[in-house]
Amino acid sequence: MTHDGGTPPRGPVTAEWWQSAVIYQVYPRSFTDGNGDGVGDLAGLIARLPYIASLGVDGVWLTPFQPSPQVDQGYDVSDYCGVDPLFGTMEDFDRLLDLAHSLGLRILLDVVPNHCSSAHPLFQEALAAGPGSPERELFHFVEGRSSSPDSRSDLPPNNWQSVFGGRAWSRANPDSETDTEWYLHLFSAGQPDWNWRNPAVGDYFENVLRFWFDKGVDGLRIDVAHALFKTDGLPDAPSESPVVDGLRSNPLVSDQEEVHEVYRRWRRLAEKYQPHRLLVGEVNLEPARAARYTRRDEMHQAFAFAFVRLGWDAATWAEVGTELEAARKLHGAAPTWALENHDIVRSANRFGSAELGARRARAALVALLGLPGSAYIYQGQELGLPEVDVPVAARVDPMWARGGVTRDGARVPLPWTQDAALTHGFTLQEPAADSAVAPWLPVPAGWGDYAVDLQEQDPGSLLATVKDAVALRRRLWEDGLFTADDGGTWRVEAGNLLLCERSPHFLVAVAMGTEPVKPPAGVVLFSAFPLAEDGWLQPGNAAWIRRN
Ligand code: TEU
């Protein structure tokens, strides 16, 4: 909700586009199904690019659509430079890129350098080549341990556990008595880890980057960016917890010094192009360590994972925000904000139940868009989609299959129409066959209540509010009220009023308590919900405040 207040001219800023960017994350298989097979695809995305452009965002991050057996919904890549037929063709991608650019949208792709699919030709060649072959040096093939004098390599080489649960090792050829090597996979057995200590791996991926950069792709989101190098010798972990997950920088696996040279090389490569290509890291580490990946000669951005998963708690937001600001001052890059993605529970469910959670999610998204740095919106977040309790029989997440949580609940196809036909408009057309195909994940009852067509008719909807917030944010950058030098001074005032001062002229306020609170002095330029008659913030409201 925009409030009359204008903004003092402070002259144009010279921020790089990505420093003020709002990026929309698309999970293609759940965005729009163009051919009626129940799975989202590039044709469907092309048809709905104008919708994304209508949000006023600067670009789109596409999660993987490259050829893959889909063991981990595409994060098991078997060809880094292709398009899986499930999503369409390379011609479809070229059309998508051209249309996006014509709409003023930049396109970021996902690159998955930590591991590939076990169906990748180079891994298949390694399996066939056997122990001691150069082909196996591209991956981590290691002789196992023996549980007794008369057994051989019946135990994995170390005690590392997979992020998805269970061992992080599988036998290369379980039935062979001569090939007794195991291979490392920090995720599923269908995702063997590359051996980044072999220079051939780095050369391989620089060719992958050139392929997409040459096509005009504007940047890359780098999957599990901090985990490429493992400690030499692959020693046992101190405990049998997943060795790469969580915000601790695990010296055994993630956050090894050698990985920074990779990103210095990638930054030099990215800057050979005009405009420079963007590098965005999934660096799931605490702020001080994650910020090292965004030094001026490495990545441009790294998601503020310490913030991404937070619940509704003012003190924690202030504590994490302060850590992120300290890291920014140390290494120079503003945080890259997100509250949702395809891996975590929807914020409406993390912040409370039903209406309360939805109200807080709306306030949190408005607050996020007022913070200094780039902001990412995950598809459906602009609609207020809640987490879906996908029926057990319909769950497909390999994390669930290996005993972990299921991430399917945040991956359910988007509702485009209130009308339930064609899965609320997720599918654009009936399939060639005479019977409609069910979507790859079922949508819940009431899903149409969040639909795009419903919210586009309501000026007070979350969708309308997000569009207004993004538009005002852009204006404030152009007017110079927002600058690339803005920081973040966080504090909590009485009544759990969370404040983030990005400059002496602007702050974000979030009413995270249970009572109405009076906002700080200044002009309220924007708020997630209408202010109370006395100008106070009701619980679960957020405001952007200008100070002269
Ligand atoms: O996620 C890396 C990662 O750490 C997540 O697996 C997270 O820990 C997990 O989802 C629990 O929340 C990236 C991708 O975003 C994810 O979708 C892939 O499954 C994973 O890498 C493997 O490529």
Side-chain angles (χ1 to χ4, degrees):
M1 161 156 269
T2 307
H3 297 264
D4 187 21
T7 53
R10 287 184 54 215
V13 291
T14 54
E16 297 281 349
W17 73 271
W18 44 271
Q19 291 174 300
S20 62
V22 179
I23 303 289
Y24 186 75
Q25 180 194 352
V26 168
Y27 192 72
R29 59 173 39 237
S30 299
F31 190 73
T32 293
D33 165 19
N35 64 0
D37 66 354
V39 179
D41 47 42
L42 298 185
L45 173 52
I46 288 168
R48 295 214 156 118
L49 268 182
Y51 163 77
I52 298 177
S54 77
L55 300 176
V57 299
D58 301 276
V60 177
W61 155 31
L62 281 179
T63 56
F65 55 81
Q66 290 82 353
S68 161
Q70 303 298 318
V71 165
D72 185 17
Q73 276 70 43
Y75 281 96
D76 48 312
V77 179
S78 56
D79 174 0
Y80 285 86
C81 298
V83 177
D84 192 293
L86 181 67
F87 297 107
T89 65
M90 188 58 81
E91 289 69 29
D92 291 329
F93 177 76
D94 292 339
R95 278 194 304 130
L96 166 67
L97 192 63
D98 288 346
L99 178 59
H101 286 166
S102 71
L103 292 170
L105 293 170
R106 293 170 173 90
I107 294 289
L108 309 181
L109 301 189
D110 226 314
V111 65
V112 187
N114 181 68
H115 48 271
C116 63
S117 163
S118 51
H120 191 289
L122 290 176
F123 185 73
Q124 286 299 309
E125 288 167 19
L127 285 180
S133 63
E135 289 85 348
R136 290 206 168 182
E137 288 306 309
L138 289 173
F139 303 92
H140 295 282
F141 281 89
V142 183
E143 187 66 14
R145 295 171 176 172
S146 301
S147 61
S148 67
D150 53 11
S151 65
R152 183 176 168 215
S153 192
D154 57 330
L155 295 176
N158 68 26
N159 65 352
W160 293 7
Q161 297 298 299
S162 158
V163 172
F164 289 167
R167 287 170 170 166
W169 295 90
S170 292
R171 278 289 304 277
N173 285 302
D175 302 331
S176 166
E177 292 184 1
T178 54
D179 180 0
T180 52
E181 290 190 333
W182 300 65
Y183 68 88
L184 177 67
H185 50 83
L186 295 184
F187 294 90
S188 73
Q191 297 168 281
D193 279 50
W194 290 100
N195 170 17
W196 272 87
R197 294 190 181 285
N198 183 337
V201 174
D203 296 342
Y204 177 86
F205 275 96
E206 287 185 25
N207 288 329
V208 171
L209 267 61
R210 284 190 195 91
F211 175 84
W212 292 110
F213 288 166
D214 287 349
K215 289 183 79 68
V217 164
D218 300 283
L220 296 170
R221 177 266 191 183
I222 304 160
D223 190 61
V224 205
H226 54 301
L228 308 193
F229 285 78
K230 285 70 176 169
T231 300
D232 256 335
L234 305 173
D236 269 345
S239 70
E240 296 208 349
S241 62
V243 287
V244 78
D245 209 22
L247 287 175
R248 306 167 308 288
S249 60
N250 187 319
L252 271 180
V253 178
S254 58
D255 204 24
Q256 305 271 304
E257 276 312 306
E258 296 90 331
V259 78
H260 294 284
E261 182 51 30
V262 173
Y263 300 125
R264 286 191 279 271
R265 289 171 62 104
W266 287 16
R267 180 66 177 259
R268 290 195 293 272
L269 176 58
E271 293 187 343
K272 289 185 166 45
Y273 291 84
Q274 287 302 336
H276 292 172
R277 303 314 195 229
L278 189 69
L279 301 175
V280 188
E282 182 198 35
V283 181
N284 199 345
L285 295 172
E286 63 273 23
R289 297 297 298 180
R292 299 174 76 241
Y293 291 73
T294 53
R295 290 175 289 196
R296 295 189 190 289
D297 59 347
E298 294 189 47
M299 298 174 184
H300 302 81
Q301 297 179 339
F303 290 107
F305 268 97
F307 187 85
V308 172
R309 300 168 184 264
L310 288 185
W312 187 258
D313 179 84
T316 313
W317 280 42
E319 179 190 340
V320 169
T322 301
E323 269 189 75
L324 287 163
E325 173 63 2
R328 181 190 75 88
K329 284 179 174 170
L330 200 55
H331 298 300
T336 296
W337 304 100
L339 280 165
E340 293 192 13
N341 64 37
H342 62 291
D343 287 333
I344 57 178
V345 172
R346 289 278 187 182
S347 56
N349 292 66
R350 299 201 320 265
F351 294 155
S353 59
E355 287 72 26
L356 179 61
R359 177 178 173 86
R360 290 171 169 177
R362 174 166 167 158
L365 182 49
V366 164
L368 191 83
L369 292 166
L371 296 177
S374 177
Y376 283 64
I377 299 173
Y378 174 50
Q379 69 177 43
Q381 187 178 0
E382 81 281 9
L383 303 175
L385 293 188
E387 185 79 0
V388 173
D389 182 15
V390 174
V392 170
R395 294 177 183 177
V396 292
D397 184 0
M399 196 164 188
W400 169 259
R402 287 174 65 104
V405 298
T406 174
R407 299 167 293 175
D408 293 323
R411 302 174 173 183
V412 171
L414 293 191
W416 294 91
T417 61
Q418 195 177 4
D419 182 328
L422 295 173
T423 313
H424 293 288
F426 166 64
T427 295
L428 291 178
Q429 62 179 0
E430 292 291 357
D434 57 6
S435 61
V437 172
W440 74 284
L441 281 177
V443 301
W447 208 227
D449 297 345
Y450 300 95
V452 169
D453 68 352
L454 198 60
Q455 296 201 40
E456 283 182 334
Q457 299 163 33
D458 174 5
S461 68
L462 175 53
L463 177 58
T465 301
V466 169
K467 289 181 180 180
D468 291 345
V470 173
L472 178 58
R473 170 192 169 101
R474 183 179 301 280
R475 209 160 62 242
L476 295 178
W477 275 99
E478 289 163 358
D479 294 348
L481 185 63
F482 285 5
T483 78
D485 303 330
D486 292 348
T489 304
W490 297 73
R491 66 179 186 276
V492 181
E493 292 192 341
N496 264 329
L497 174 61
L498 175 74
L499 301 177
C500 172
E501 280 186 8
R502 66 178 286 162
S503 78
H505 306 286
F506 185 91
L507 63 85
V508 171
V510 190
M512 299 185 85
T514 54
E515 299 298 326
V517 284
K518 184 177 182 184
V523 176
V524 176
L525 298 181
F526 195 81
S527 60
F529 298 94
L531 302 178
E533 280 186 18
D534 57 7
W536 285 36
L537 292 176
Q538 297 295 334
N541 201 353
W544 298 4
I545 298 168
R546 176 175 58 79
R547 287 168 160 171
N548 289 317

